């Protein structure tokens, strides 16, 4: 069994911050945990706008605090996000994530990330290490 506490992860190697300052992500479950997904507690800072495109991952996002929106770049469709909203990027959609207020999100990635990824010029994570069982 794996048991972790957020306060034990904060300010350690699993507490990752974007180079542009838009977000911080506490990686609770990672590829090395060998469970087939990664789980992140992510804070998106108020007023930020981030272009994301998870070309190599499926991401599910559950908003537990704050307000913002997701805009898909292919069709310009805007989806309001607030506490209690979940969105699933099941088609690897390239999108803008905008935070009106500070948002706290619970994110699940498949395949799992290794924990040290940062977004490339396309807004994507490079494919990580293979899932280890």
């Amino acid at each position: 069994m794996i048991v972790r506490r957020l306060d034990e992860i904060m300010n350690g190697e699993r507490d990752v911050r974007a180079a542009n300052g838009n977000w911080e992500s506490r990686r609770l479950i990672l590829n090395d945990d060998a469970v087939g997904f990664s789980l992140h507690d992510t804070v998106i800072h108020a007023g930020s706008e981030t272009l994301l495109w998870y070309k190599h991952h499926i991401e599910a996002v559950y908003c537990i605090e704050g307000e913002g929106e997701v805009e898909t770049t292919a069709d310009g469709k805007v989806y309001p996000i607030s506490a209690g909203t979940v969105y699933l990027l099941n088609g690897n959609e390239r999108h803008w994530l905008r935070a009106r207020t500070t948002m706290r999100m619970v994110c699940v990635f498949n395949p799992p990330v290794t924990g040290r990824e940062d977004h490339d010029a396309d807004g994507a994570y490079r494919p990580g290490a293979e899932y280890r069982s």
Side-chain angles (χ1 to χ4, degrees):
M1 181 186 312
I2 297 169
V3 177
R4 293 196 176 100
R5 294 181 46 86
L6 181 61
D7 61 358
E8 296 168 347
I9 289 172
M10 305 265 309
N11 300 311
E13 67 179 22
R14 288 175 176 252
D15 189 357
V16 178
R17 295 164 196 275
N20 64 10
N22 286 358
W23 56 265
E24 53 194 85
S25 180
R26 288 71 67 110
R27 277 79 190 276
L28 298 159
I29 306 293
L30 291 170
N31 183 69
D32 283 348
D33 293 313
V35 295
F37 62 91
S38 57
L39 178 68
H40 312 210
D41 180 312
T42 301
V43 174
I44 311 296
H45 296 290
S48 67
E49 178 177 76
T50 308
L51 181 62
L52 302 166
W53 186 17
Y54 297 118
K55 299 184 278 188
H56 311 290
H57 299 83
I58 301 298
E59 183 191 26
V61 180
Y62 180 58
C63 180
I64 59 174
E65 291 178 20
E67 294 182 356
E69 65 184 26
V70 173
E71 178 183 351
T72 48
T73 62
D75 59 10
K77 189 160 183 178
V78 175
Y79 302 87
I81 305 298
S82 60
T85 303
V86 65
Y87 64 93
L88 176 63
L89 299 159
N90 60 323
N92 304 101
E93 294 87 355
R94 187 172 191 235
H95 61 285
W96 287 99
L97 177 60
R98 298 181 185 103
R100 278 193 281 285
T101 66
T102 298
M103 295 192 299
R104 187 166 175 205
M105 319 287 246
V106 176
C107 308
V108 177
F109 281 84
N110 184 10
V113 301
T114 63
R116 300 312 305 169
E117 292 89 349
D118 199 355
H119 298 97
D120 65 16
D122 285 337
Y125 288 147
R126 289 179 296 118
E130 291 296 315
Y131 161 65
R132 293 199 259 170
S133 58

